[in-house]
Amino acid sequence: MTTDAVADAQIGRLPVALAVEEIRRDFPAMELKVYGKPLAYLDNAATSQKPRSVIDAEAHWYLESCANVHRGVHALSVRATAAYESARQKVASFVNAASAREIVFVKGTTDAVNLVAGSFARGRLDPGDEIVITGLEHHSNIVPWQLVCEDRGAKLRVARLDDRGDVDMEEFARLLSERTKMVAVSHVSNALGTINPVERMIELAHERDIPILIDGAQAVPHKKVDVQALGCDFYAFSSHKMFGPTGVGALYGRHDLLAAMPPYQGGGEMIRTVSFERTEYAEPPARFEAGTPNIAGAVGFGAAVDYLERIGLDRIEAYEDELLAYATAELEAVPGVRLIGTARRKAAVLSFVIGDVHAHDVGTILDQEGVAIRTGHHCAQPVMQHFGVPATSRASLAFYNTREEVDRLVVGLDKIREVFGG
Amino acid sequence: MSDLMDLYQEVILDHNRKPRNFGPLPDADHEAEGYNPLCGDQLKVYLRVADGVILDVHFDGSGCAISKASASLMTEAVKGKSVEEAEELFGGFHELLTGDPSVRGEAPEKLGKLAVFEGVREFPVRVKCATLAWHTLHAALSGDQEQVSTE
């Protein structure tokens, strides 16, 4: 039986709830030990572990289909092109894009945001114009906009957060004006777990004919995303946060918008004809994929989509919601723990501080217990400033995590209180 | 667990809880700021120097236990020392954390209390926390007004 057939058979036997122990066997990293202790990997918002099927798909491509895409007449090149384009189709279906040509393969979410900032927003900005973002953005959804604003004499406006870590929607609506030329918001906050009401944000932006980009890096591993139902203009996400390889991601862009955009980078692959006088550009998505792409990565990305669809994002979301509720209650019960970010709708991210112990010390002590979390500002310094903390500790959960791993986090926190007193 | 206790020695925990020479030095004639972007440690070192001797030294800022305790113990170690001696201590301290112990042997006696940081060498990502204050001291002494960064 092939790996896929085995997985299919396993899934077929799964009840409605997630069979986590079976799922964990799909991920070789779940077997790892650190300092002689089983690894409890709770740093999924930074990057996720990869199932065997993704690792195999990438290796398989290198072993049997390694050739450049779109430019060879030989058998391997045809095979490589088919694998690459099939991955694009899978990614398109995954977010329900109307067509695969609306999916541009990029390096990752950061690259996708930079593409839209540089190729789309830049040309629409005049001095005095504005771009609206929110207070919970990752640096990758702040800095690219700052760069084009500086370049064009435009202004970045930021809708602030409330005390729970929800965007103040009244202010968000108020910031949108005839000067606003672009809106860019996260679907899910990496630092706080807040799920933004993107449906309403898109509606508000479109009422004023303002294009809107959604940074979906933290959303796609946790919930079903349908770009057509959302109606957003752009949707950016990374493979590596959704159990695929690093170094590849996707930009969904409405085809009419992509078709009207100038290239992002020049090179091979993105052209129709070149002479020293003039170059005609290829149609999207090729127009935005200059140079040899990360073909193996894209193939692995496609395998990650297959994997997630076999498990089912509805079931993943339900499982993670339950695990989040459990973890929230457990952490709140630890004396001295304060959760940072208690939004009404949250993905499975728990940012916290414990007493006056610095996050870096928390991280080191948990690491010794085999519990991997992220500490620091999570590339979201404005969020830290909003909550008046220099850094937080962050546990971010995926569907392969268990209550037992959450319990080990709590035991680790008890150890911290032991070392630091309190 | 023994490794962890090597890192968080009682002296370190004590200086973290009750940092010595903490707060600005009003009549400072040298100062510099240090920043560790990895974990957000941020501290400022203030000095009063005359005739090549560190008459007084203070620090403030926020950071992890290792960076705070290191800054606190540093102020105790260098107060009253000549600038040259302070720089030598920095060299010895740096060697303690990053050098090969099989070559170096025991922690040199002149490091005194600073030897409690020897356990940090087992935690490579934390070495920068322990040396931040010293890099900042060096910047203040050499009149380098640029912010010091560990990255």
Side-chain angles (χ1 to χ4, degrees), chain B:
Chain B
M1 214 51 208
S2 63
D3 282 353
L4 204 52
M5 286 306 144
D6 286 347
L7 180 65
Y8 293 109
Q9 299 214 16
E10 196 42 56
V11 177
I12 292 179
L13 293 172
D14 174 57
H15 277 259
N16 173 51
R17 265 193 305 271
K18 295 177 298 203
R20 323 297 200 261
N21 303 307
F22 189 78
L25 191 61
D27 49 354
D29 46 28
H30 290 68
E31 58 180 63
E33 247 187 291
Y35 180 47
N36 178 353
L38 189 68
C39 51
D41 294 342
Q42 195 148 21
L43 56 85
K44 214 165 168 178
V45 171
Y46 309 85
L47 291 158
R48 203 151 54 79
V49 182
D51 300 327
V53 174
I54 297 169
L55 300 178
D56 205 357
V57 49
H58 273 216
F59 84 100
D60 63 9
S62 69
C64 64
I66 304 299
S67 72
K68 224 155 111 191
S70 176
S72 173
L73 279 152
M74 177 189 79
T75 59
E76 287 193 332
V78 303
K79 199 187 273 193
K81 296 261 187 347
S82 73
V83 170
E84 225 167 74
E85 286 168 327
E87 294 284 7
E88 256 175 58
L89 269 181
F90 180 20
F93 185 69
H94 202 268
E95 178 65 19
L96 178 77
L97 297 185
T98 59
D100 183 346
S102 62
V103 174
R104 166 172 47 74
E106 292 286 294
E109 215 166 279
K110 66 173 180 192
L111 285 179
K113 270 197 211 170
L114 298 176
V116 296
F117 288 98
E118 193 169 12
V120 177
R121 56 169 295 116
E122 300 304 323
F123 297 81
V125 294
R126 307 304 302 272
V127 168
K128 285 172 178 172
C129 308
T131 55
L132 177 64
W134 288 90
H135 283 290
T136 311
L137 172 79
H138 172 76
L141 286 172
S142 54
D144 183 358
Q145 292 307 303
E146 287 282 301
Q147 194 188 53
V148 180
S149 173
T150 57
E151 296 303 304

Side-chain angles (χ1 to χ4, degrees), chain A residues 285-309:
Chain A
R287 185 184 301 167
F288 305 104
E289 294 181 6
T292 297
N294 182 355
I295 309 166
V299 169
F301 192 3
V305 166
D306 288 342
Y307 185 83
L308 282 173
E309 288 184 339

Side-chain angles (χ1 to χ4, degrees), chain A residues 336-347:
Chain A
V337 164
R338 175 163 74 103
L339 285 173
I340 304 291
T342 50
R344 288 160 189 84
R345 288 168 67 216
K346 268 186 72 172

Side-chain angles (χ1 to χ4, degrees), chain A residues 138-293:
Chain A
H138 187 279
H139 295 164
S140 63
N141 203 25
I142 301 174
V143 183
W145 307 114
Q146 267 172 343
L147 287 170
V148 286
C149 282
E150 263 171 43
D151 186 47
R152 306 295 299 166
K155 204 165 172 230
L156 191 65
R157 304 296 300 270
V158 184
R160 65 169 169 257
L161 302 181
D162 65 17
D163 294 341
R164 309 172 63 138
D166 276 315
V167 174
D168 179 338
M169 285 300 287
E170 273 175 33
E171 191 188 44
F172 177 81
R174 216 166 33 240
L175 284 177
L176 304 179
S177 74
E178 68 282 356
R179 290 185 301 277
T180 315
K181 294 294 157 68
M182 185 81 211
V183 175
V185 298
S186 283
H187 198 161
V188 172
S189 152
N190 74 307
L192 304 173
T194 306
I195 301 176
N196 261 337
V198 288
E199 298 82 356
R200 180 71 187 133
M201 290 168 156
I202 292 165
E203 216 171 73
L204 286 167
H206 283 176
E207 276 170 14
R208 292 180 168 273
D209 291 324
I210 305 164
I212 179 165
L213 172 139
I214 311 290
D215 168 354
Q218 298 291 342
V220 287
H222 303 297
K223 57 204 271 93
K224 181 71 194 151
V225 170
D226 182 333
V227 291
Q228 291 191 77
L230 286 173
C232 55
D233 301 288
F234 298 99
Y235 196 96
F237 55 110
S238 298
S239 152
H240 76 97
K241 301 220 197 261
M242 50 175 277
F243 318 99
T246 57
V248 65
L251 171 68
Y252 158 80
R254 253 176 47 209
H255 185 258
D256 57 320
L257 299 178
L258 290 177
M261 282 159 60
Y264 170 46
Q265 294 175 319
E269 185 77 34
M270 49 72 72
I271 46 84
R272 183 179 291 143
T273 61
V274 176
S275 71
F276 287 118
E277 288 71 40
R278 196 181 131 70
T279 294
E280 267 187 55
Y281 307 121
E283 289 296 309
R287 185 184 301 167
F288 305 104
E289 294 181 6
T292 297

